[in-house]
Amino acid sequence: MRRDQMIKGAVSLFKQKGFHRTTTREIAKASGFSIGTLYEYIRTKEDVLYLVCDRIYDEVRVRLHDLELDGGTLQSLSRGIAHYFKVVDSMQDEVLVMYQEAKSLSKDALPYVLKKELEMTKMFETLIQKCVDEGELVMEHDEIHLLAQNIFVQGQMWAFRRWALREYHIDQYTDRQTELLLKGVRGYQAAVNKGE
């Protein structure tokens, strides 16, 4: 609970002022903590970005874990996409701050964040691979990897490009993006099969 307060306070400040112009004292105040209490949770401002990254990752993992991931159907893949997009919708500020400020991380910290992102993408690779295993999709390993990356970026786009997507509700956005992704896969497969 206190960690969430701290993340929320820090994210709000990072969004307003940027990472470098925000002080730990301001984070403590925005979180309703004393500076001493804040330092019970973090050593540096950079640690807050770790916590933001972990929170996004944990939320995606929990939402995808709750699905029937063993199904190997396009419906289960679509549900996985919808759950991920809803996480991004509920954590728009965190997603935006994470990617705006990841450049502020040290050379030691950045690999940690990138590893978490790859782990989230791997969840989609697993969902897609199950669809391939069940004959719902026909894809090579590199195509599975690229489709997972596309899903991940389409979810992030909801946070990054909200200003351009105002006419959509999250459910409409999810339906359209999922339809476009799956149509693209089917169209690609049809073109490959035709060329054989």
Side-chain angles (χ1 to χ4, degrees):
M1 181 70 162
R2 288 191 133 197
R3 182 176 286 192
D4 286 345
Q5 281 177 260
M6 183 184 51
I7 290 170
K8 191 174 221 150
V11 163
S12 176
L13 288 167
F14 292 163
K15 192 174 164 197
Q16 277 179 316
K17 300 178 67 171
F19 178 79
H20 291 294
R21 292 195 322 251
T22 299
T23 67
T24 50
R25 193 166 299 285
E26 289 171 323
I27 293 171
K29 185 177 179 184
S31 305
F33 297 167
S34 69
I35 193 76
T37 302
L38 181 73
Y39 282 120
E40 289 176 22
Y41 293 93
I42 63 168
R43 292 181 316 274
T44 67
K45 248 190 325 185
E46 196 172 71
D47 290 346
V48 177
L49 290 179
Y50 278 108
L51 294 176
V52 171
C53 176
D54 282 343
R55 185 162 180 239
I56 294 167
Y57 170 77
D58 289 342
E59 195 63 33
V60 170
R61 186 179 47 76
V62 165
R63 297 262 185 115
L64 292 184
H65 188 274
D66 289 346
L67 291 173
E68 290 179 37
L69 299 182
D70 296 332
T73 65
L74 293 179
Q75 186 179 16
S76 65
L77 176 59
S78 296
R79 280 198 315 270
I81 293 169
H83 280 292
Y84 168 59
F85 284 14
K86 292 234 186 221
V87 169
V88 173
D89 183 53
S90 68
M91 301 182 81
Q92 289 178 45
D93 289 344
E94 289 92 335
V95 170
L96 195 58
V97 163
M98 192 67 243
Y99 291 98
Q100 284 177 337
E101 302 302 343
K103 65 187 177 295
S104 301
L105 292 169
S106 69
K107 288 181 182 174
D108 295 331
L110 187 58
Y112 175 84
V113 171
L114 296 178
K115 180 177 175 270
K116 287 289 188 178
E117 189 171 295
L118 288 174
E119 288 173 9
M120 285 188 273
T121 308
K122 188 75 176 158
M123 292 178 207
F124 284 104
E125 287 186 36
T126 300
L127 280 173
I128 297 162
Q129 183 64 56
K130 287 181 179 181
C131 289
V132 170
D133 294 345
E134 294 298 319
E136 292 276 320
L137 295 171
V138 178
M139 302 181 86
E140 299 294 323
H141 178 73
D142 66 323
E143 295 166 332
I144 292 169
H145 178 73
L146 285 174
L147 179 57
Q149 295 291 331
N150 281 332
I151 291 167
F152 197 74
V153 169
Q154 295 304 321
Q156 293 171 345
M157 188 170 85
W158 181 249
F160 294 134
R161 303 221 13 118
R162 282 304 308 274
W163 60 271
L165 301 168
R166 286 187 301 258
E167 71 272 13
Y168 291 99
H169 179 272
I170 184 61
D171 295 329
Q172 294 169 310
Y173 178 80
T174 300
D175 291 345
R176 293 283 162 85
Q177 287 292 12
T178 303
E179 186 180 329
L180 288 170
L181 285 163
L182 294 179
K183 274 185 180 178
V185 169
R186 288 185 193 113
Y188 174 75
Q189 288 177 342
V192 168
N193 291 338
K194 199 175 192 180
E196 287 180 352

